[in-house]
Amino acid sequence: MRAPALPAGADWVAGLSIAGLLLPEAVAYAGIAGLPPQAGVMALFAGLLAYGLLGSSRFAIVSSTSSAAAVLAAAMASVLHVSEAQRHLMGVAMVLMAGVIFALAGLARLGAVSQFIAKPVLRGFALGLALTIVVKQLPVAVGVHPQHSDFLRYAWDLLGRWRQWNPQGLAMMLAALLVLRLLGRWKAVPGALLVIAAGIALDALGYCGLWGIKAVGSLALGGSRPEVPDLALADWLRAGQLAMALALILYAESYSSIRSLALRHGDAVSPNRDLLALGAANALSALFQGMPVGAGYSASSANEVAGARSKAAGLIACAVVGLLVWQLLPWMERIPEPLLAAIVIHAVAHTLNPAVVRPYFAWKRDRFVVLAAFVAVILLGVLDGLLLAIAVSIAMLLKRFAEPRVSWLGQLAQSRDYVDTARHPEAVAVPGLLIARPEAPLFFGNADAIFAAIRERVDAVSGQKDEKNEKDGAGLRAVVLSLEESPDLDGTSLEALAEFAAQMQRQGLPLVLARTKDAVRELLARVQPPGLQTSAYAAWSVDDAVRPWLRAQAPAPGASSAQAQGGAKTQLADAACDEEHGKG
């Protein structure tokens, strides 16, 4: 096996740069989750180490994130009627269960699970979450703590107490935000670390005490040891339920960051391997009573901009953070709280931008889903809002699929193309044929409704309810069903298709399936529904299905048109079978 390459000089620079960003953020995110500062630090060590050894992305930085901290805080708040110590143990259990979920998903090769959350949901959720985080960081700076937890009453209570605000704390936070914004122009400069150093100096000189500004307080890292929470089975089951939502948002955020950076540089992605790496990182963090971790976009993109070339940058950052904690732990306890609030607000500022959801309104697509996700987070809270937003997106998808939308196809002149006649008036319907195309995959939610719509059109076109058609000998002679949107059929769809074929057979109308996928062909060959012969799905394209009918309809020399039409039904299936074997 080839020995791993030594870190490049760029990796050393990137590792040193992001270490100054990650350490203050880890302490700040612990405050969002309502956990002691050391929970964020231990999570930082676990994420950097585990993903650096097991992950696939060379840019991803796995650490505590603002969204994970907010979701964990909401999940812990939903555990009622327990002591604070028990609630903290439940939070650790959620992180551990999230790690187990990641590991099981990786072993089951469920790397595409992040697609379960639509991007409009993520955009609306992230916007609402960023606004919630910003508003809930203000009391940290101004020294006022509202009694309510829901967003609207929390914000109203905060504004109502404006006379009690600490102006010095607010000024410190605003000044820190300005400095972070200015230093953000130079990505290699650890702006957060410089701001923290200035704040520690102010506290050491006694200014923070004079201004009534609190510091972080004790960081008890020395007593951290591996430990599994001692909980009852019912508590573990409850933690597992809440961990599902935590794992879902963590992986959606992480995979989005990993994939975006990989596409930018032409790197390959390995979602199943990353699931295992995230599982190990969260499990390790939980064992040391840490927070949940994921590949946040801000830290990962900062690592990329700083010039990282390999995963060694994350491991170097881990070593540098360890050195800082080892040498500067007593000084870190002097970090003023308004500076942590400024670091959090600066970290989520890129998300707090309505422009990220503007395209959905310009495209007139998924606007309701975006608004539902945003409003749900504001009104219901982080956890319930996320779950409702996911439910809304799935309901909208099912509604779109369940609608019995069927296109009726006609032929474009001088071509073999068949298109929707409603959208293309120049397309001509083939005389004696009804060509139907369901516009959504057939499944249990729409199969009966779609075939009912086709039967209604068949009855209208066939002339069974029109005496004029019967007298003129006109009407429908065969039905072509294009299944290009259906890669497979479930049991309900198969039964509905078989019932429709049998009904067409009773009406004396041949049914031909066009653009049938291989999986559907194999299924029909195995089931052999009554009324649907093998020749019925022999055609690969709509043109393949129609041409035998046109040949069968053409009158032979000396034959009358009525005779040609009378023999067309029996010739259609034979001609389609010949088409399958190349005889046509």
Side-chain angles (χ1 to χ4, degrees):
M1 180 182 296
R2 186 174 62 181
L6 293 175
D11 289 328
W12 285 98
V13 173
L16 291 169
S17 299
I18 62 172
L21 168 69
L22 295 175
L23 184 56
E25 283 190 352
V27 177
Y29 293 155
I32 295 178
L35 297 174
Q38 59 266 26
V41 178
M42 298 309 298
L44 178 57
F45 285 132
L48 291 175
L49 183 61
Y51 193 84
L53 296 176
L54 303 175
S56 66
S57 173
R58 57 187 173 126
F59 298 114
I61 293 297
V62 173
S63 61
S64 53
T65 67
S66 58
S67 58
V71 172
L72 180 64
M76 291 171 61
S78 68
V79 182
L80 304 176
H81 310 300
V82 296
S83 64
E84 189 66 29
Q86 183 76 359
R87 186 175 288 112
H88 176 70
L89 289 178
M90 288 287 288
V92 173
M94 293 174 206
V95 180
L96 182 58
M97 292 300 294
V100 173
I101 292 170
F102 280 136
L104 293 176
L107 293 174
R109 307 188 67 81
L110 298 178
V113 71
S114 68
Q115 307 304 321
F116 188 68
I117 305 182
K119 285 188 177 181
V121 172
L122 285 178
R123 298 287 189 271
F125 170 77
L127 185 61
L129 177 63
L131 182 60
T132 302
I133 290 175
V134 168
V135 170
K136 292 196 173 182
Q137 286 303 301
L138 292 177
V140 177
V142 301
V144 172
H145 300 286
Q147 297 178 351
H148 303 287
S149 58
D150 57 288
F151 179 85
L152 295 179
R153 290 191 297 174
Y154 187 95
W156 182 256
D157 194 6
L158 177 64
L159 292 174
R161 299 187 183 187
W162 66 271
R163 292 185 178 86
Q164 304 172 22
W165 287 12
N166 183 344
Q168 289 86 358
L170 180 62
M172 177 180 284
M173 184 191 73
L174 294 176
L177 282 172
L178 179 60
V179 172
L180 289 171
R181 182 64 181 268
L182 293 174
L183 293 179
R185 300 177 180 179
W186 298 278
K187 300 299 182 181
V189 176
L193 192 60
L194 295 178
V195 168
I196 290 297
I200 292 174
L202 290 174
D203 185 74
L205 293 174
Y207 289 104
C208 290
L210 182 64
W211 296 334
I213 296 175
K214 294 182 180 180
V216 169
S218 175
L219 289 171
L221 296 181
S224 298
R225 63 183 187 277
E227 185 178 358
V228 176
D230 184 13
L231 297 173
L233 178 60
D235 292 332
W236 278 109
L237 293 176
R238 176 61 174 162
Q241 294 172 355
L242 296 172
M244 288 294 297
L246 178 61
L248 199 58
I249 190 64
L250 265 178
Y251 188 62
E253 179 184 33
S254 300
Y255 186 65
S256 177
S257 302
I258 292 170
R259 188 172 181 274
S260 298
L261 293 171
L263 289 175
R264 190 179 303 169
H265 294 270
D267 296 343
V269 294
S270 180
N272 295 310
R273 177 179 171 183
D274 287 330
L275 276 171
L276 294 173
L278 289 172
N282 280 277
L284 183 61
S285 177
L287 290 177
F288 287 91
Q289 294 78 54
M291 296 172 55
V293 293
Y297 184 76
S298 58
S300 299
S301 60
N303 186 39
E304 176 210 20
V305 171
R309 293 292 179 267
S310 70
K311 292 187 298 178
L315 295 174
I316 292 170
C318 182
V320 173
V321 169
L323 182 62
L324 291 174
V325 171
W326 177 38
Q327 293 294 326
L328 304 177
L329 185 61
W331 291 100
M332 291 175 58
E333 297 174 353
R334 291 179 172 271
I335 300 175
E337 289 188 341
L339 297 187
L340 294 180
I343 290 171
V344 171
I345 294 174
H346 179 72
V348 302
H350 71 282
T351 307
L352 192 61
N353 183 4
V356 299
V357 301
R358 190 178 301 157
Y360 299 108
F361 292 86
W363 301 335
K364 297 183 179 180
R365 288 292 183 273
D366 297 319
R367 293 169 294 180
F368 179 76
V369 175
V370 171
L371 289 175
F374 175 77
V375 173
V377 172
I378 297 299
L379 296 182
L380 302 180
V382 174
L383 187 62
D384 292 336
L386 171 64
L387 297 178
L388 178 62
I390 294 174
V392 168
S393 67
I394 295 175
M396 296 292 288
L397 175 66
L398 293 177
K399 177 181 180 296
R400 189 158 55 246
F401 277 169
E403 292 176 352
R405 294 179 295 120
V406 181
S407 295
W408 314 104
L409 307 186
Q411 185 179 20
L412 291 175
Q414 307 299 322
S415 75
R416 295 184 175 182
D417 298 324
Y418 289 80
V419 295
D420 183 4
T421 55
R423 292 180 178 271
H424 301 273
E426 69 276 14
V428 179
V430 179
L433 279 186
L434 178 66
I435 309 174
R437 181 181 67 196
E439 292 299 329
L442 293 174
F443 75 112
F444 62 88
N446 65 8
D448 289 333
I450 284 177
F451 283 111
I454 298 175
R455 281 196 297 269
E456 183 178 351
R457 184 65 174 260
V458 167
D459 291 341
V461 176
S462 65
Q464 289 181 358
K465 299 179 182 179
D466 190 339
E467 295 181 359
K468 183 178 183 300
N469 284 346
E470 292 180 3
K471 293 178 181 179
D472 295 343
L476 189 62
R477 303 296 180 182
V479 176
V480 175
L481 179 64
S482 177
L483 293 180
E484 60 189 88
E485 300 293 339
S486 300
D488 204 351
L489 299 177
D490 59 17
T492 303
S493 304
L494 182 61
E495 289 184 13
L497 175 60
E499 182 181 346
F500 177 73
Q503 185 173 10
M504 294 300 99
Q505 187 181 49
R506 288 194 297 270
Q507 293 182 212
L509 296 174
L511 173 64
V512 180
L513 306 184
R515 305 200 68 175
T516 313
K517 308 297 184 182
D518 286 333
V520 178
R521 288 170 176 268
E522 295 168 0
L523 175 64
L524 295 176
R526 184 170 62 252
V527 176
Q528 296 183 354
L532 196 64
Q533 304 301 320
T534 303
S535 58
Y537 48 91
W540 289 104
S541 67
V542 174
D543 187 63
D544 289 339
V546 173
R547 273 186 294 163
W549 164 258
L550 295 177
R551 287 199 302 270
Q553 191 182 43
S560 66
S561 175
Q563 289 174 331
Q565 291 179 349
K569 296 181 180 179
T570 57
Q571 294 178 36
L572 175 60
D574 295 337
C577 189
D578 291 342
E579 191 73 29
E580 179 185 20
H581 295 89
K583 298 177 182 178

